[in-house]
Amino acid sequence: MRVLFLSRWFPFPTDNGSKIRVYHLLKSLADQHEVALLSFANESPTAAAVQVLREICSQVDFVSYKGFQTNSVRARLGFLSPTPRSLIDTFSAEMAEKVKKVSGQWKPDIVVASQLDMIPYALLVRDVFRVAEEIELTVPYEAYIKASHLPAKLRKGLTWWKLSAYLRRTLSAFQLCTVVSSPEQTLARRVIPSTVPVEVIPNGVDVRSLRSVSREPQPDVLIYNGALSYYANFDAMHFFLSAIFPRILERAPKTTLLITGNTRGAPIEQLPNRKNVVFTGYVEDIHAVVGASWALVAPLRLGGGTRLKVLEALALGVPVVATSKGVEGLDLEQDKEVLVADTPQRFAEATLSLLTDPALRNGLSLAGRRAANRYDWNGIGRRFNQIVTEGVSPSSAKSAAIESGNLVR
């Protein structure tokens, strides 16, 4: 079959979680189908990056992405529309034309809309099996329910109402929706039409490639790998540096924290207590840097989805200390595969126990590697391929199952 994949993120290089997910799902689909990719790109990709994707996809094309401008004319007019303002303001006529042209000439059987931004373009493709991939609702929903002041409550409530109504209206034209975790699935079922199946396709990790990364862990080195330009990462580090890291330094003064990732546009001068903190900026080989660290800290309090940084650290044998939010949606055993603590005191104690007990670190390292195997992209990709293929041709899938004796009655 032919699959038209519409992506908000140009998926190479794989330098953020969304790109990693899209890249691996593309590879999985391409194992069984012919795939064409139409993608937005925040920056023009290099010829080498395009070539990598052309080795997977029969067609690759992109459109420059223009971010949401809250004060633009279109965004202001969006206050009067039932459609979320961000979708109105960022809608691209160029992308719409490319989608119409490719679908008209190429005649896809399946169209995958990766993330909310791509739903309007998938609706332009007629007579296909539509998949809404990675619908994430936790962030806008939590912004609404956690708003403490009446004006913010009303504003966030309006945003949530418009988004919910939009998804009920548009996803009735889709045949499948996927989310990254069970909590996201529960929330999605409150919004998405009951006629549309909602399947969990978790985020994953390339276990095989990370097994080849061999680095001697450096004692007293903690790491947080996340761009501070993303609000949830900035909040996590503000929380850690203000409430947790000083407690650690009191008892382990040689401890160093590496913060990797882009800081462009982030007000890092507002981060407190930056003693023993190193901002590395963008790192070309992030896995080598994580692999050489004693532990990864994930003190997240905001955001949705699941954290690829946690899975990658586990696959590298690097123990993780996280808040409940930091491992939300991941099936990990506390105190065996990951350490979980939500108060500053307990988070500091858990981190100090790792810093001072090599045997504890070794046990968590081995258990974490085993846990990461459950999230290998190969298995996740096969599952995604299976549910999409069975959705398109359920009768043929059922016949094949009967013939192989695998149909559960």
Side-chain angles (χ1 to χ4, degrees):
M1 288 185 284
R2 291 181 169 181
V3 181
L4 175 58
F5 199 107
L6 307 177
S7 178
R8 158 64 185 89
W9 297 90
F10 193 81
F12 201 86
T14 52
D15 53 13
N16 71 28
S18 294
K19 294 180 182 183
I20 292 170
R21 181 179 179 89
V22 172
Y23 177 74
H24 285 283
L25 293 184
L26 282 173
K27 286 181 65 177
S28 176
L29 289 169
D31 284 342
Q32 295 185 25
H33 310 292
E34 185 181 358
V35 181
L37 172 66
L38 288 179
S39 176
F40 281 115
N42 287 23
E43 298 176 355
S44 293
T46 65
V50 173
Q51 182 56 37
V52 168
L53 294 173
R54 283 181 174 158
E55 293 173 3
I56 302 171
C57 306
S58 61
Q59 300 180 53
V60 176
D61 203 353
F62 65 90
V63 172
S64 295
Y65 182 74
K66 296 180 180 179
F68 178 33
Q69 302 295 320
T70 58
N71 292 319
S72 71
V73 173
R74 285 206 294 183
R76 289 179 180 277
L77 291 174
F79 280 116
L80 305 176
S81 171
T83 299
R85 291 200 306 142
S86 61
L87 293 182
I88 292 174
D89 187 60
T90 60
F91 184 81
S92 167
E94 183 181 1
M95 175 61 79
E97 286 304 313
K98 286 183 181 291
V99 170
K100 290 177 183 177
K101 181 177 180 180
V102 170
S103 61
Q105 296 177 347
W106 195 57
K107 306 295 184 185
D109 304 289
I110 303 165
V111 60
V112 178
S114 177
Q115 299 190 347
L116 176 68
D117 304 70
M118 308 313 294
I119 288 175
Y121 308 102
L123 293 172
L124 299 174
V125 187
R126 298 180 179 276
D127 303 320
V128 292
F129 184 90
R130 296 189 185 96
V131 181
E133 210 291 295
E134 198 188 2
I135 297 300
E136 185 178 294
L137 299 173
T138 297
V139 171
Y141 179 68
E142 288 190 346
Y144 162 52
I145 63 172
K146 291 182 178 180
S148 56
H149 301 293
L150 182 58
K153 193 80 169 178
L154 292 173
R155 186 172 65 253
K156 301 298 183 181
L158 177 61
T159 299
W160 173 247
W161 176 83
K162 290 176 73 168
L163 175 59
S164 301
Y166 176 78
L167 291 176
R168 278 191 290 270
R169 187 169 68 248
T170 58
L171 292 189
S172 61
F174 283 69
Q175 286 70 49
L176 176 67
C177 175
T178 64
V179 294
V180 301
S181 69
S182 295
E184 287 283 359
Q185 183 185 48
T186 299
L187 186 54
R189 290 196 186 279
R190 294 172 52 184
V191 173
I192 294 171
S194 58
T195 55
V196 182
V198 180
E199 297 281 352
V200 176
I201 301 295
N203 281 322
V205 62
D206 189 351
V207 172
R208 182 176 179 181
S209 69
L210 294 185
R211 280 177 182 158
S212 64
V213 178
S214 179
R215 292 291 186 275
E216 188 69 24
Q218 302 300 305
D220 304 318
V221 175
L222 305 175
I223 191 167
Y224 183 79
N225 56 323
L228 295 185
S229 53
Y230 177 50
Y231 77 98
N233 289 332
F234 187 87
D235 176 81
M237 285 297 91
H238 195 284
F239 172 52
F240 186 79
L241 294 178
S242 61
I244 300 171
F245 201 39
R247 299 171 190 261
I248 294 172
L249 291 178
E250 283 180 8
R251 290 166 52 185
K254 294 182 179 180
T255 306
T256 299
L257 172 66
L258 304 181
I259 301 177
T260 71
N262 181 23
T263 60
R264 185 173 57 193
I268 60 175
E269 69 280 356
Q270 296 179 15
L271 292 174
N273 304 317
R274 285 176 280 166
K275 179 184 176 182
N276 290 26
V277 177
V278 177
F279 298 94
T280 69
Y282 176 76
V283 175
E284 195 71 35
D285 189 357
I286 185 61
H287 297 143
V289 179
V290 174
S293 302
W294 196 256
L296 179 136
V297 292
L300 289 140
R301 302 186 297 178
L302 305 172
T306 55
R307 319 299 176 174
L308 281 92
K309 60 172 64 69
V310 169
L311 294 174
E312 289 181 344
L314 295 177
L316 288 163
V318 177
V320 174
V321 186
T323 54
S324 298
K325 189 69 172 178
V327 292
E328 186 177 59
L330 297 175
D331 181 20
L332 298 172
E333 188 174 347
Q334 294 188 26
D335 299 325
K336 181 178 179 181
E337 296 170 338
V338 64
L339 300 182
V340 179
D342 289 313
T343 68
Q345 182 63 37
R346 290 183 177 179
F347 202 108
E349 291 290 343
T351 307
L352 284 163
S353 68
L354 271 176
L355 290 169
T356 58
D357 190 344
L360 173 63
R361 184 192 186 279
N362 185 59
L364 283 164
S365 174
L366 294 174
R369 285 184 185 273
R370 290 191 293 268
N373 291 329
R374 302 196 295 269
Y375 289 91
D376 184 62
W377 273 122
N378 288 328
I380 292 170
R382 285 194 297 270
R383 170 62 179 154
F384 180 69
N385 220 329
Q386 178 188 14
I387 64 169
V388 171
T389 302
E390 290 181 356
V392 176
S393 53
S395 58
S396 61
K398 181 177 179 180
S399 298
I402 293 173
E403 290 173 6
S404 63
N406 293 330
L407 185 63
V408 178
R409 298 182 181 277

